Structures are given as C-alpha cells and as structure tokens.
Amino acid sequence: AILTNADLTGANLSGADLTEAVLRDAQLTNINFENTKLFGSTFVGANLSGAKFTNQSMYGGIFSYAILTNADLSGVNLSRGQIDGANLSGSNLRGIDLTFSYSVNSDFTNAILSDSNLSNADIRSSDMRNANLSGAKLFSADLSRVNFTNAILTNADLNNAEIKYTDFRGADISGTNFANVDLLYQQGLPLSEDMKQQKSELPPECKQGTILFKGECIDEQQRIDEWKKGGCLIATATYGS
C-alpha cells in the first residue's frame, strides 16, 4: 500500500496487513499497531507520536527522521532497522531489539531503554540525555559522540564499545561493564593516573569551522583572512574531526 502523506491520526490499525507499505511523511499519531503486519514497511519522516507497536516484529524497518515521541516500542524487533535522525524522546523502548541498527543522530532523551539490546548498533552522535539504559546490552556498539549526560547505565554491558568523544558526565554507571573499551577520549568516566597523563598530552578536539594551529583551536576563516593579508598559514595545520 502507498500511503505517503496519509492522515490516519487516531486510527486503530490493530490486525491490519501493511506489509511493505510506504507511509512516508504520514500523520500516524496515537495509532494502535498491535498485531499489525508491518514487515518491510517504510515510515520515513512519518509522525508516529504516541503510536503503539508493542512486541511487533519489524526486522529491517525504516524509520529515518520519523517522530516517535512518547511512542511505545517495548519488546519490538527492529534489528538491522534504520532510525537515523528520528525523534524518540520520552518513548518506551524497554526490551527493544536494535542490534545492528543504523541509529545515528537520533534523539533518545528521557526514553526508557532498560533491558534493550543495541549490540553492534551504530548510534553515533545520538542524544541519550536522561535516558534509562539499565541492563541494556551495547556490546560492540559505536557510541562515538553520544551524549549520555545524566543517563542511567546501571548494569549495562558496553564491552568492546566505541566511545570516542562520548559524554558520560552525571551518568549512573554503577555495575556497568566497560571491558575492552578505550576510555581515553571520552568525558565523565574515571581514568587511571597513566590515562590522565596521556589525556593531558592530547591536542584539543577542534569544532567544525576551526583548525588546530600551534596547539590551539582557532577560527578557520579568520586564519585564512590573515594568510591572505600576508600571514603564514601553516600547511600542516590539523583540522578538527
């Protein structure tokens, strides 16, 4: 079914067959999808605020840039799914399967992800502030630049996860497994004295629009302007990642 831009707000689709349906940019707020057949369905850009998907199997489902605020996806199988750029703020994702999913730049603020499985998922640059990930599995997940500020990570498993430039400030990490994790480039986790020394010797990370010049991050355009006026721009200046 092609339901692009359809407005089905408040409809009860429980038990309906929407296999491989295209619901791009559709209005689907407060929809009941329980027992609905959704295999291969596409929800790119759809508004699914308050929708209910409890225990659905949506392996490989596509929710890129969808709005899923306060939605219920507890127990859902979204393994290898795409939810990049999606807004899941305040949603119930308890026990969700997001293994091998592509979930970069997504908003998980205040979401419930307890006992979820995000192993091998790509969650780079996502916002997990105040999220509850107690007991979550994040084995070998790419958590680079994820913001876990004030999140609950009690008894979570981050074995072999990538946490480069990840922010854990204020997070509850009691019982969290950080085995085989490089802690050098993150913020908020305790470091050994040796690692503290190594970190103090690292060059600063430069934000977009700035470059590393003589050990400091400076405005890129300003430096170019100075060079045009006769300054000497060092060719080997390192750009921030």
Side-chain angles (χ1 to χ4, degrees):
I2 306 297
L3 296 168
T4 300
N5 294 311
D7 188 349
L8 300 172
T9 302
N12 187 347
L13 298 177
S14 179
D17 188 351
L18 293 175
T19 303
E20 298 184 350
V22 177
L23 294 132
R24 185 185 297 268
D25 299 317
Q27 293 297 316
L28 302 163
T29 56
N30 300 312
I31 295 286
N32 184 355
F33 286 105
E34 288 187 290
N35 301 312
T36 304
K37 295 179 180 178
L38 295 169
F39 184 81
S41 297
T42 300
F43 293 92
V44 175
N47 186 349
L48 292 148
S49 180
K52 191 170 186 179
F53 292 90
T54 310
N55 297 319
Q56 272 285 359
S57 179
M58 295 183 287
Y59 179 91
I62 303 175
F63 288 84
S64 302
Y65 306 103
I67 300 172
L68 288 151
T69 53
N70 302 308
D72 187 350
L73 289 91
S74 55
V76 165
N77 179 2
L78 254 177
S79 180
R80 297 192 181 275
Q82 296 180 39
I83 54 173
D84 51 306
N87 185 350
L88 296 109
S89 178
S91 57
N92 181 4
L93 307 172
R94 187 189 305 273
I96 193 172
D97 184 349
L98 287 171
T99 54
F100 295 97
S101 66
Y102 183 66
S103 308
V104 301
N105 295 308
S106 291
D107 184 352
F108 293 93
T109 54
N110 300 297
I112 300 172
L113 289 135
S114 52
D115 300 316
S116 59
N117 192 347
L118 294 90
S119 297
N120 297 288
D122 186 350
I123 317 173
R124 289 169 297 156
S125 301
S126 287
D127 192 347
M128 293 270 190
R129 287 175 298 164
N130 301 301
N132 184 346
L133 293 108
S134 58
K137 297 180 178 66
L138 297 119
F139 177 83
S140 293
D142 191 343
L143 307 174
S144 303
R145 300 182 187 276
V146 170
N147 188 346
F148 284 112
T149 303
N150 298 321
I152 299 172
L153 288 157
T154 54
N155 300 312
D157 185 2
L158 277 72
N159 185 6
N160 203 45
E162 176 65 62
I163 59 169
K164 193 171 185 179
Y165 305 124
T166 302
D167 192 346
F168 291 96
R169 288 176 294 184
D172 185 346
I173 56 169
S174 53
T176 305
N177 180 14
F178 288 103
N180 304 306
V181 174
D182 185 352
L183 303 177
L184 190 59
Y185 292 91
Q186 51 75 34
Q187 292 183 2
L189 296 181
L191 298 174
S192 66
E193 290 304 316
D194 287 345
M195 293 188 77
K196 286 179 181 178
Q197 180 61 32
Q198 292 180 54
K199 193 162 188 173
S200 69
E201 297 170 356
L202 291 174
E205 179 197 3
C206 295
K207 297 179 180 179
Q208 186 174 3
T210 66
I211 59 174
L212 185 63
F213 181 69
K214 294 184 178 180
E216 296 182 358
C217 296
I218 63 172
D219 183 83
E220 181 179 9
Q221 188 58 51
Q222 179 182 344
R223 189 61 189 143
I224 291 173
D225 291 342
E226 290 176 357
W227 173 73
K228 288 180 178 178
K229 292 177 182 179
C232 180
L233 177 64
I234 295 180
T236 56
T238 304
Y239 282 74
S241 57

